[in-house]
Amino acid sequence: QVQVEESGGGLVQAGGSLKLSCAASGTIFSFNAMGWYRQVPGKQRELVARIISGGFTNYGYSVKGRFTVSTDNGKNRIYLQMNNLKPEDTGVYYCNVQGGPYDYWGQGTQVTVSS
């Protein structure tokens, strides 16, 4: 069984920075990708950033140039460095691991950016 756990959320003023961490434990077969998604009430969960097999990265349009996703190779850990935060970045951030046909999600961590 794969478990995913996020940490690092909180309250920050606009223009500030936060760093999120995620650790996945257990055996992940046929690793495809690991990344971050966020959700606000009334909206669908959206991609923030992810690393796919081979080390390629994808970013959501609204975070390009401000957020950076990275990983500890071989340690099933992923990080999201968020700079120049904006109030519209507020939401619950979820860590996701994709292995074979399976999606594993963490419980989410709240990020709140005040104006």
Side-chain angles (χ1 to χ4, degrees):
Q1 183 70 18
V2 175
Q3 292 186 323
V4 180
E5 185 172 1
E6 308 97 339
S7 61
L11 173 65
V12 64
Q13 288 188 331
S17 298
L18 279 176
K19 186 174 183 178
L20 305 183
S21 300
C22 171
S25 60
T27 302
I28 303 170
F29 294 100
S30 299
F31 173 85
N32 292 329
M34 192 169 181
W36 295 93
Y37 293 72
R38 70 184 177 198
Q39 190 166 23
V40 297
K43 292 189 177 182
Q44 288 189 331
R45 196 170 293 187
E46 63 175 358
L47 171 70
V48 177
R50 66 175 184 168
I51 297 177
I52 61 177
S53 181
F56 301 101
T57 56
N58 297 137
Y59 289 93
Y61 178 80
S62 65
V63 307
K64 284 182 179 179
R66 299 188 297 121
F67 291 11
T68 303
V69 63
S70 60
T71 185
D72 278 340
N73 288 333
K75 295 184 180 180
N76 288 346
R77 298 186 70 90
I78 193 170
Y79 307 96
L80 184 67
Q81 177 66 47
M82 304 185 291
N83 297 328
N84 190 22
L85 282 158
K86 302 176 180 180
E88 51 264 42
D89 294 318
T90 294
V92 179
Y93 283 68
Y94 295 91
C95 182
N96 169 263
V97 178
Q98 296 175 7
Y102 303 107
D103 265 317
Y104 304 98
W105 294 91
Q107 294 296 309
T109 185
Q110 176 71 42
V111 171
T112 302
V113 185
S114 62
S115 56

